[in-house]
């Protein structure tokens, strides 16, 4: 059985102030719980309209308090601009306050100005992700004291407080190298919207080989994949989705400031067309079939659904409700997933 969670960008759509975009994230998570979906995962961005939420863990804390049943995850907390111990303390605190409901997803992020503002630097982004992930994983493993000496981090032996529970860390992977690293550590993957199922299968195969070599059980990992999901009856509704998403990407992603000038810019209109063609967009039955087909092809049964594409809060709420109804026959509840 599949599990379906909403993936919430917190994008600043036309007519909404950033504060309103943040409040909408809370509203959408509550709507997801009311619709019978299984969770809500939140994104983290800095300085751009593509996402108004600067701290995935802070938003996760609020959503854990604002809901009662669903799992709440980060997709993702950007490890390249955070200290692994500080992030580990936040994650362990949330896990202690809401046992079994918090899910920590981390990623490398991009070569953005965030690295300069927060003082971590481009070198750590390019070469320090593995060391940071290993330190974070150890901090949350359940050890009571951790010390570390490395190229990017030096941590004197200190007491882990609160201690981690050993819960998994989901690793966002867009390359075989990152998939293999997660496999060596036995950490599940978080797969994005930008690649087809065939690419995801290749990443999962790379992950599996490393996990097996490291003595981990590949069948025990709950990987997750991200999908655009929009119940849209007719060409007019799809056209509104296309226009809304293209505007958000062109304006919001265009605000990124790179520390590596000369990076190629994506054709956002073409990318949105590709997503609409590939992902779960259309009548309710078609949406359910597309998601089921992806889960069968990849073996990834937990799916994160980008539901905010239309921007308008009433339309997004209607989409969440429609997805809950369309997927009610295939979704498993949180309790069933944990059984």
């Amino acid at each position: 059985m599949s599990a379906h969670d909403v993936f919430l960008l917190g994008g600043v759509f036309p007519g909404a102030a950033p504060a309103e975009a943040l409040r909408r994230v809370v509203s959408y998570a509550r709507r997801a719980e009311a619709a019978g979906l299984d969770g809500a995962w939140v994104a983290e961005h800095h300085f751009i309209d593509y996402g108004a939420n600067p701290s995935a863990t802070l938003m996760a804390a609020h959503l854990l308090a604002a809901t009662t049943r669903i799992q709440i995850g980060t997709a993702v907390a950007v490890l390249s601009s955070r200290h692994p111990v500080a992030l580990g303390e936040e994650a362990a605190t949330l896990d202690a306050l809401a046992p079994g409901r918090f899910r920590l997803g981390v990623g490398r992020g991009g070569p953005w100005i965030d690295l300069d503002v927060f003082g971590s630097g481009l070198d750590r982004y390019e070469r320090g992700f593995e060391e940071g992930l290993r330190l974070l994983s150890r901090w949350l493993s359940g050890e009571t004291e951790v010390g570390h000496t490395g190229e990017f981090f030096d941590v004197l032996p200190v007491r882990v407080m609160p201690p981690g529970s050993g819960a998994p860390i989901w690793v966002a992977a867009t390359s075989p190298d990152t998939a293999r690293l997660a496999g060596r550590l036995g950490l599940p993957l978080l797969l994005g919207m930008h690649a087809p199922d065939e690419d995801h299968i290749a990443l999962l195969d790379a992950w599996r080989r490393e996990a097996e070599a490291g003595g981990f059980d590949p069948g025990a990992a709950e990987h997750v994949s991200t999908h655009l999901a929009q119940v849209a009856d007719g060409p007019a509704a799809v056209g509104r989705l296309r226009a809304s998403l293209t505007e958000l990407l062109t304006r919001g992603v265009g605000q990124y400031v790179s520390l590596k000038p000369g990076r190629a810019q994506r054709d956002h209109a073409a990318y949105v067309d590709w997503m609409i063609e590939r992902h779960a967009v259309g009548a309710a039955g078609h949406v359910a079939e597309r998601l089921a087909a992806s889960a069968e092809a990849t073996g990834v049964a937990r799916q994160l659904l980008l539901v905010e594409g239309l921007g308008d809060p009433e339309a997004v709420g209607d989409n969440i409700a429609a997805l809950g109804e369309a997927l009610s026959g295939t979704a498993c509840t949180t309790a069933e997933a944990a059984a």
Side-chain angles (χ1 to χ4, degrees):
M1 298 287 284
S2 294
H4 299 102
D5 307 341
V6 292
F7 168 51
L8 301 174
L9 280 173
V12 183
F13 287 88
E20 174 61 22
L22 293 172
R23 291 191 291 269
R24 289 178 182 180
V25 169
V26 182
S27 172
Y28 298 154
R30 287 173 168 155
R31 289 293 297 266
E33 183 165 66
L37 297 173
D38 298 286
W41 297 56
V42 292
E44 173 178 294
H45 297 92
H46 298 279
F47 321 129
I48 60 174
D49 287 345
Y50 184 58
N53 179 33
S55 172
T57 48
L58 180 60
M59 179 61 79
H62 190 88
L63 296 186
L64 285 166
T67 58
T68 61
R69 174 187 61 80
I70 58 174
Q71 295 181 1
I72 302 296
T74 62
V76 293
V78 181
L79 187 55
S80 297
S81 57
R82 289 174 173 243
H83 194 289
V85 171
L87 179 57
E89 288 185 321
E90 293 178 13
T93 299
L94 294 178
D95 193 37
L97 291 171
R101 291 184 60 207
F102 176 64
R103 300 290 181 261
L104 177 64
V106 302
R108 186 188 303 270
W112 315 130
I113 198 171
D114 317 7
L115 302 168
D116 185 68
V117 171
F118 298 122
S120 53
L122 191 60
D123 196 33
R124 183 178 149 197
Y125 159 77
E126 292 180 330
R127 300 191 302 106
F129 182 69
E130 178 172 352
E131 184 180 337
L133 184 60
R134 287 183 178 275
L135 176 54
L136 175 64
S137 182
R138 187 179 171 198
W139 188 268
L140 292 173
S141 67
E143 292 187 38
T144 58
E145 182 178 278
V146 169
H148 175 87
T149 300
E151 180 180 358
F152 295 94
F153 304 100
D154 283 301
V155 179
L156 293 173
V158 289
R159 187 180 180 194
V160 179
M161 180 57 64
S165 66
I169 303 166
W170 279 261
V171 180
T174 60
S175 71
D177 284 346
T178 301
R180 286 191 286 266
L181 168 61
R184 288 194 294 274
L185 298 177
L187 302 177
L189 298 182
L190 197 164
L191 302 168
M193 292 182 293
H194 66 284
D197 286 340
E198 294 78 12
D199 289 2
H200 287 171
I201 291 169
L203 292 176
L204 290 163
D205 286 343
W207 178 93
R208 185 178 299 105
R209 288 192 292 271
E210 294 292 331
E212 289 175 340
F216 296 102
D217 176 12
E222 184 188 34
H223 304 295
V224 299
S225 58
T226 312
H227 306 258
L228 174 62
Q230 179 68 51
V231 176
D233 291 318
V238 175
R240 289 194 298 272
L241 176 67
R242 177 180 290 109
S244 178
L245 273 179
T246 300
E247 191 280 335
L248 178 66
L249 287 167
T250 301
R251 174 173 47 86
V253 175
Q255 294 167 344
Y256 274 125
V257 177
S258 177
L259 299 180
K260 300 182 73 172
R263 287 170 59 92
Q265 297 296 313
R266 170 177 277 164
D267 183 332
H268 298 301
Y271 176 54
V272 170
D273 284 341
W274 180 86
M275 283 202 298
I276 289 173
E277 176 63 26
R278 170 190 177 259
H279 283 286
V281 176
H286 173 77
V287 167
E289 290 172 2
R290 273 290 176 94
L291 293 172
S294 178
E296 183 176 2
T298 63
V300 178
R302 182 161 225 109
Q303 298 174 321
L304 312 187
L305 310 180
L306 176 62
V307 296
E308 296 165 278
L310 288 175
D312 175 72
E314 183 176 353
V316 174
D318 289 344
N319 186 40
I320 293 171
L323 288 168
E325 183 175 354
L327 301 172
S328 60
T330 59
C332 61
T333 66
T334 302
E336 289 169 340

